[in-house]
Amino acid sequence: MSRGTRLVAWTSTAEYVAVGELLYSESPQDRHRGVLAVKAWRARARVPAAVDATATLVELQLSDSTQPVSQQRLTLSMALIRFVNSILDLEQRTTVAQSMAVLARRIGMPAWFVELRHACTHEQVPSLRVLRAAHAHALVWLDEHYWRRQTRALPEDTRDRVRAAVAEYVRARDTVKAAATKRNASEFDAAKAALVALTGVLHSDAVGAHVVRVLLEPGVLVPTDKRMRAKFPECTMPSQLARQSTSLLRLLADVWGESVLYDELLSAICSALVPQSSEGGFEPATLGPSHAATLVAWVRWILDKHYQPAGSDTPSNVSVDDLLETCLRNPGYYSRAVLKAVSDVDPALGRDLRPFVDYMGKALAALAAADARPVRSTVDAEEMRKEEELMQT
């Protein structure tokens, strides 16, 4: 399955929205139905952490309170710990682990959630009243930071609207660059504002599902003019392409954060470059050379700007773990180029990768030689006789 394909448990957008509404309904019966729906989803596929946490918290709200107070406190505290851990673990994207307080601040989670989680884990379990209040606040936070944003990100034309907004931004940017008139500058400001307004209401899941897919289409990060693209084997980023694209990437990074944007961009580039095979064999390239070389150049650019090797004092904004796993599991010409880019940015890691890179090079050379070897279309009489003798033995 392609890394860009996402398996979801719900059968349609309408079902997803309806279950979210059930979970936040004022009717206990409706909320119970919402919990049962999420349980059915869990049996089908992995559900997002926010969906899982919402259903768990709602189920506890609906549960019978005849249990001993100590048991209720333990159950509620475990649910709160799981809520905080599952949400913040998604933000742990660097090779050096960041504190939960830093991760919570990044996504707008109140600091007292982390403090309460610490108390439940390492100190005395809070009172039942405090835990119930925390659960209520957690549901409100999930509604505001996940469900409402996600619902707005779900219209079927989301990618078309993102594509149109990005195209208008690129057009206005190029126009003001060609002629920096007051009118052109005003149109560029309007295009930037429109793009921020659209992407700002999208949940971070939409970054990978829609936004970065648009960025990798010809005309944005990959120029339509092939003369402006990178070339193999160097895959050097053209300076003009980097200059004209930096402002757009910076604008989008301001909306979601550098970690989210560049991790999703690396994932999408890897998905485009490396066809994934269940057999682990050498897969044929599906992109044109100049298109692929430009994507490899972007991998190198992202890592050079936002990646820090293991052991560095500076935390890394992106992780290469998934990138490496995909390339090593799916050897090919482009995956080898990605591994070489990683090796150039992180020489220590490159030393560990060198045997794999060398093996891929030799295997690809052997395949190329085999493809170039002439194949005879006829068999002479002597070879036919030998084959018959072999069959009779």
Side-chain angles (χ1 to χ4, degrees), residues 102-276:
V102 171
L103 300 176
R105 185 164 59 251
R106 180 190 299 167
I107 65 173
M109 177 181 284
W112 65 265
F113 274 145
V114 177
E115 295 169 0
L116 197 60
R117 176 256 178 209
H118 183 82
C120 292
T121 307
H122 304 292
E123 300 172 4
Q124 184 176 0
V125 177
S127 68
L128 185 59
R129 180 180 178 183
V130 169
L131 289 170
R132 283 177 173 170
H135 276 237
H137 282 289
L139 283 169
V140 171
W141 186 88
L142 285 166
D143 186 33
E144 293 177 349
H145 288 78
Y146 179 80
W147 289 99
R148 294 185 186 182
R149 292 187 180 185
Q150 185 73 349
T151 301
R152 286 195 293 265
L154 286 173
E156 300 295 338
D157 65 343
T158 296
R159 189 175 300 187
D160 291 335
R161 292 190 293 128
V162 171
R163 183 180 292 111
V166 170
E168 176 59 20
Y169 173 92
V170 171
R171 184 203 66 77
R173 179 199 65 195
D174 294 345
T175 300
V176 76
K177 181 179 179 181
T181 64
K182 185 175 181 180
R183 177 179 178 180
N184 290 344
S186 177
E187 289 182 354
F188 185 41
D189 289 340
K192 285 194 292 185
L195 182 58
V196 170
L198 172 60
T199 56
V201 299
L202 299 178
H203 187 267
S204 58
D205 284 354
V207 180
H210 300 296
V211 178
V212 297
R213 308 291 165 178
V214 171
L215 295 181
L216 297 183
E217 294 175 354
V220 189
L221 297 185
V222 180
T224 53
D225 185 351
K226 293 185 177 181
R227 294 172 298 179
M228 290 183 59
R229 296 180 179 179
K231 296 179 176 60
F232 283 113
E234 296 83 5
C235 298
T236 302
M237 172 64 72
S239 56
Q240 183 179 351
L241 176 59
R243 284 196 303 271
Q244 74 178 24
S245 303
T246 299
S247 60
L248 173 59
L249 294 175
R250 188 183 301 117
L251 182 148
L252 296 175
D254 288 342
V255 175
W256 293 298
E258 293 179 343
S259 179
V260 171
L261 175 64
Y262 291 115
D263 261 335
E264 291 290 354
L265 196 52
L266 283 176
S267 175
I269 290 174
C270 189
S271 177
L273 284 172
V274 186
Q276 296 195 47

Side-chain angles (χ1 to χ4, degrees), residues 5 10-11 28 54 64 68 86 94 109 159 167 171 175 177 205 208 279 290 332 345 361 376 378 380-381 384 387:
T5 303
W10 44 92
T11 57
T54 303
D64 188 1
S86 63
T94 62
M109 177 181 284
R159 189 175 300 187
R171 184 203 66 77
T175 300
K177 181 179 179 181
D205 284 354
E279 291 80 18
S290 65
V345 176
R376 291 181 299 169
T378 59
D380 59 31
M384 182 71 74
E387 285 290 338

